[in-house]
Amino acid sequence: MSENNVNITIANRLATAHDKISDASKKAGRLPEHVSLIAVSKTKPPSDIEAAFRAGQLEFGENYVQELADKAQQLSKLENLCWHFIGPIQSNKTALIAEHANWVDSLDRIKIARRLNKHCEELNKQMNVLIQVNISDSNTKSGIALLDVANFAEEIQEFKYLTLRGLMAIPDEYLDKNKQKAEFEQLNTCFLALKHQYQTVDTLSLGMTNDMEAAILSGSTMIRLGTAIFGPRTN
């Protein structure tokens, strides 16, 4: 596929994604502009990200630290590009994350928060963070238990260079949509409690391609889409 065709395809996929977000928001009685879209660009080349940027997409999510650093450097000429780190965090990678990310959406350890805060202080940089919640209590997923969110959020307040913006979760996929709905609603209840307590909290990152509508109906303010925008991954 030619570069021009790739650019058109990505632009069309973005338009379709926004249409779906708009339809789901209207069904939920919400304004579409209150739901943002993160384009998950892991394993995709910088040219694809630039194509999405040219089509109006500003926020991108990366799962791997070195890949984030490389792309952020290569695309530094693009103004207002916003990077979300959404993967598991190793202690020895926090300096790179602090340098290149604008958001950390997968914070689930105070040790990591402390290191990020230290690096951000050295950079004189404010970092937006989301607490990752293991809402499905899954052995294969990162995140803290729902019952631990309040205490974790309180501990984050001691870090001057971290701004708590809300919660993120990657729930299990269920054939039983009632179970899915119950988990989504539990997470939203927790989010609303945090929002009431902390003025900076405004983000619930929940929902991907297969559960986007259900997530928006349950209060999600941030959707993460990868293949729906960039196509299937090759590795």
Side-chain angles (χ1 to χ4, degrees):
M1 189 182 293
S2 70
E3 181 179 344
N4 188 52
N5 285 341
V6 169
N7 293 350
I8 293 171
T9 298
I10 288 174
N12 287 341
R13 287 171 175 161
L14 272 169
T16 298
H18 282 293
D19 285 345
K20 289 181 177 179
I21 289 171
S22 180
D23 289 344
S25 298
K26 290 173 182 176
K27 187 179 290 188
R30 301 171 60 195
L31 294 175
E33 54 264 37
H34 291 171
V35 182
S36 61
L37 170 61
I38 307 302
V40 180
S41 47
K42 65 178 181 181
T43 77
K44 294 299 179 179
S47 58
D48 282 8
I49 296 170
E50 186 162 2
F53 174 82
R54 301 297 175 199
Q57 180 65 29
L58 297 179
E59 297 190 79
F60 296 86
E62 290 286 337
N63 289 62
Y64 307 114
V65 179
Q66 192 58 56
E67 188 177 352
L68 163 68
D70 292 344
K71 289 176 180 177
Q73 290 172 330
Q74 291 177 56
L75 297 169
S76 59
K77 67 182 185 295
L78 302 183
E79 294 184 4
N80 300 319
L81 206 62
C82 181
W83 294 103
H84 292 247
F85 186 75
I86 58 177
I89 304 171
Q90 296 174 300
S91 297
N92 63 349
K93 301 293 187 181
T94 50
L96 271 179
I97 293 172
E99 181 179 357
H100 295 290
N102 306 98
W103 289 63
V104 170
D105 297 9
S106 51
L107 187 61
D108 63 358
R109 285 181 290 161
I110 289 299
K111 174 185 176 182
I112 296 298
R114 186 173 292 110
R115 290 180 65 89
L116 285 171
N117 186 73
K118 175 178 176 293
H119 297 311
C120 286
E121 182 177 11
E122 293 165 354
L123 296 165
N124 192 29
K125 172 183 180 178
Q126 205 69 29
M127 177 74 76
N128 294 306
V129 298
L130 300 177
I131 299 170
Q132 183 170 355
V133 181
N134 190 346
I135 188 65
S136 301
D137 195 25
S138 172
N139 293 329
T140 62
K141 290 187 171 66
S142 302
I144 68 172
L146 194 64
L147 292 174
D148 295 330
V149 168
N151 288 338
F152 193 88
E154 187 174 349
E155 289 186 80
I156 290 175
Q157 302 309 307
E158 72 176 87
F159 301 119
K160 180 180 176 182
Y161 292 87
L162 303 184
T163 302
L164 177 61
R165 296 293 297 273
L167 304 177
M168 184 274 270
I170 306 173
D172 284 341
E173 292 187 30
Y174 297 111
L175 293 176
D176 182 355
K177 297 306 179 184
N178 288 327
K179 187 169 185 180
Q180 178 192 69
K181 182 180 178 182
E183 288 188 356
F184 284 10
E185 289 180 350
Q186 287 174 343
L187 190 67
N188 188 45
T189 297
C190 183
F191 163 66
L192 292 175
L194 276 189
K195 187 176 181 180
H196 179 75
Q197 187 171 2
Y198 301 108
Q199 290 185 345
T200 59
V201 171
D202 58 5
T203 302
L204 176 59
S205 181
L206 175 69
M208 296 181 286
T209 301
N210 293 331
D211 57 7
M212 179 175 68
E213 181 176 310
I216 292 172
L217 287 169
S218 296
S220 176
T221 69
M222 184 179 284
I223 300 298
R224 304 179 302 274
L225 299 179
T227 55
I229 294 168
F230 297 110
R233 297 188 181 94
T234 56
N235 58 353

